[in-house]
C-alpha cells in the first residue's frame, strides 16, 4: 500500500540499488546518498560518468546521473498498455508517488525524508534499447512523440545529483524546492 502524499510534495515508495551493471535494481530497506557521489554501493555512483556508453565517449564528463528517480504513476500507465513494471525494474534508485517529476524545472531540489538527503534534478532519463530486452515494446511506451507538437516526450523519470547526503527509505516524505525563476525545462541527460 502506498503511503499518502505529503501536503507539499510526495512520498518515496521504494528505494533500489545495485553494485553491478544490470538493467534492474533490487529493492532495499534503505539507501544512503553520498554528497557529490550518488547512492552508496551503486554502480552509477561517482563524480564522473558511470554509464558505459557515456564513459566510452568521455570518461571525464561530470556524472549528472548519480540518482535516478521514477514516478510510480508511470507503472499504472504502463499496466494499461499491458506492461507490468515494479519499482527498481527500470533501473531507478528512488521510486516516488505524488510528485510530477517530469514537470519539474532543471535545478529543482528534492528533500528526501527527514535525514537531510537532498538531490538536485539535472534532467530527463533518456532510455536506451535495453528497455526492450526487459519487455518487448516498452521503449515506445516511455519515449514517444507529442501528437500536437511532434516533440520527443521522455517518461522514464529524472536524473539527479546528490547535494546533501543521508539515508532514504520507502515511506519518506518528499519536499519539492523549486529553483529561482526563470525556470529551465528538463532536457535529456
Amino acid at each position: 500500500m502506498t503511503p499518502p502524499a505529503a501536503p507539499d510534495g510526495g512520498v518515496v515508495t521504494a528505494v533500489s540499488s545495485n553494485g553491478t551493471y544490470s538493467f534492474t535494481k533490487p529493492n532495499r530497506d534503505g539507501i544512503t546518498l553520498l554528497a557529490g557521489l550518488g547512492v552508496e554501493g551503486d554502480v552509477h555512483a561517482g563524480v564522473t560518468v558511470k554509464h558505459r556508453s557515456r564513459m566510452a565517449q568521455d570518461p571525464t564528463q561530470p556524472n549528472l546521473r548519480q540518482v535516478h528517480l521514477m514516478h510510480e504513476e508511470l507503472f499504472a500507465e504502463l499496466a494499461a498498455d499491458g506492461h507490468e513494471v515494479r519499482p527498481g525494474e527500470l533501473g531507478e534508485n528512488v521510486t516516488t508517488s505524488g510528485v510530477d517529476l517530469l514537470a519539474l524545472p532543471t535545478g529543482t531540489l528534492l528533500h528526501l525524508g527527514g535525514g537531510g538527503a537532498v538531490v538536485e534534478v539535472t534532467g530527463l532519463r533518456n532510455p536506451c534499447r535495453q528497455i526492450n530486452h526487459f519487455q518487448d515494446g516498452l521503449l515506445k511506451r516511455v519515449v514517444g512523440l507529442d501528437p500536437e507538437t511532434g516533440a520527443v516526450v521522455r517518461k522514464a523519470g529524472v536524473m539527479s545529483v546528490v547535494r546533501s547526503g543521508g539515508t532514504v527509505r520507502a515511506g519518506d516524505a518528499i519536499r519539492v524546492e523549486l529553483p529561482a525563476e526563470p525556470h529551465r525545462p528538463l532536457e535529456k541527460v
Side-chain angles (χ1 to χ4, degrees):
M1 174 186 238
T2 301
D8 62 346
V11 67
V12 173
T13 60
V15 292
S16 310
S17 67
N18 200 339
T20 60
Y21 283 104
S22 69
F23 186 73
T24 63
K25 294 185 179 195
N27 296 152
R28 308 288 181 191
D29 291 333
I31 56 173
T32 301
L33 302 185
L34 303 173
L37 294 174
V39 178
E40 182 178 45
D42 191 80
V43 70
H44 291 105
V47 174
T48 56
V49 294
K50 300 301 175 200
H51 192 274
R52 287 177 172 168
S53 66
R54 292 171 191 275
M55 287 174 31
Q57 291 172 358
D58 178 3
T60 66
Q61 295 176 72
N63 187 2
L64 301 178
R65 301 164 58 105
Q66 293 174 358
V67 180
H68 177 200
L69 297 99
M70 186 173 293
H71 51 297
E72 187 176 66
E73 293 82 358
L74 176 64
F75 302 156
E77 183 181 326
L78 295 174
D81 289 333
H83 295 280
E84 184 179 338
V85 179
R86 290 186 212 77
E89 289 186 334
L90 296 182
E92 78 274 14
N93 300 108
V94 179
T95 310
T96 69
S97 179
V99 177
D100 188 354
L101 295 174
L102 304 179
L104 297 173
T106 301
T108 297
L109 298 178
L110 299 175
H111 299 259
L112 306 172
V118 180
V119 296
E120 179 181 339
V121 177
T122 56
L124 296 166
R125 176 187 181 195
N126 189 35
C128 63
R129 284 181 264 165
Q130 277 187 334
I131 204 165
N132 278 336
H133 297 299
F134 174 68
Q135 285 185 24
D136 190 44
L138 192 55
L139 181 61
K140 67 182 177 183
R141 300 291 181 229
V142 297
V143 177
L145 296 178
D146 182 304
E148 295 178 20
T149 66
V152 175
V153 176
R154 292 175 177 82
K155 299 180 183 180
V158 298
M159 306 308 287
S160 65
V161 294
V162 181
R163 292 294 175 218
S164 179
T167 301
V168 181
R169 292 181 174 82
D172 283 351
I174 302 169
R175 183 171 62 83
V176 177
E177 182 182 343
L178 296 176
E181 292 192 28
H183 291 161
R184 291 181 299 127
L186 296 175
E187 297 179 6
K188 69 176 183 174
V189 292

